[in-house]
Amino acid sequence: QAPYAAELTKDGGHDVVVLQDRQRRQVVRVAVKFGNNAYSFTTNGVELFWRPAGTLTEWVAKPALGGNPLLAPWANRIDNEEYQVNGRTYRLNPSLGNLRRDGHQQPIHGLLLYS
């Protein structure tokens, strides 16, 4: 049996990717359409992540900070409304209405939470 596994499944009707490290008895659950949020991480059956609701369905119905969302395409704040990756420049489009800003009006990660 392979030491690692990845499976697409459902949790309360929500698409979830389950990643397992069988040797270390670790399991990560990622809510694919909820910002690619890693909402559960267990080691030896012990939950290590805090989340603001008892179930994924309750959390999706009333979103709040918790888990560990994918912070792509950048992991913190960026200057202006563009960023560079591998020599290419990517411009953000504020007119889409999904751009979050920090207290200094700089774009901040979390774009996928609102997609």
Side-chain angles (χ1 to χ4, degrees):
Q1 186 176 31
Y4 304 108
E7 172 188 20
L8 179 61
T9 186
K10 298 274 188 185
D11 181 345
H14 304 281
D15 290 336
V16 171
V17 172
V18 179
L19 306 172
Q20 294 184 54
D21 180 337
R22 293 184 177 114
Q23 290 177 329
R24 292 179 176 82
R25 299 189 61 210
Q26 296 178 324
V27 179
V28 175
R29 298 178 193 288
V30 180
V32 178
K33 295 180 181 174
F34 188 52
N36 275 324
N37 196 322
Y39 70 96
S40 175
F41 176 40
T42 59
T43 298
N44 295 319
V46 176
E47 181 63 56
L48 301 176
F49 278 179
W50 176 86
R51 64 177 174 237
T55 68
L56 178 58
T57 298
E58 292 169 341
W59 191 8
V60 169
K62 189 176 179 184
L65 296 178
N68 189 12
L70 176 67
L71 300 179
W74 64 89
N76 207 330
R77 289 144 181 89
I78 60 174
D79 291 331
N80 303 310
E81 293 180 356
E82 64 185 33
Y83 60 97
Q84 292 77 37
V85 175
N86 296 328
R88 292 186 62 189
T89 298
Y90 297 87
R91 293 221 18 97
L92 304 178
N93 185 348
S95 68
L96 293 175
N98 62 357
L99 183 59
R100 296 178 61 215
R101 296 183 185 273
D102 68 10
H104 300 286
Q105 295 306 303
Q106 296 300 319
I108 188 170
H109 57 71
L111 179 68
L112 290 177
L113 289 174
Y114 299 98
S115 67

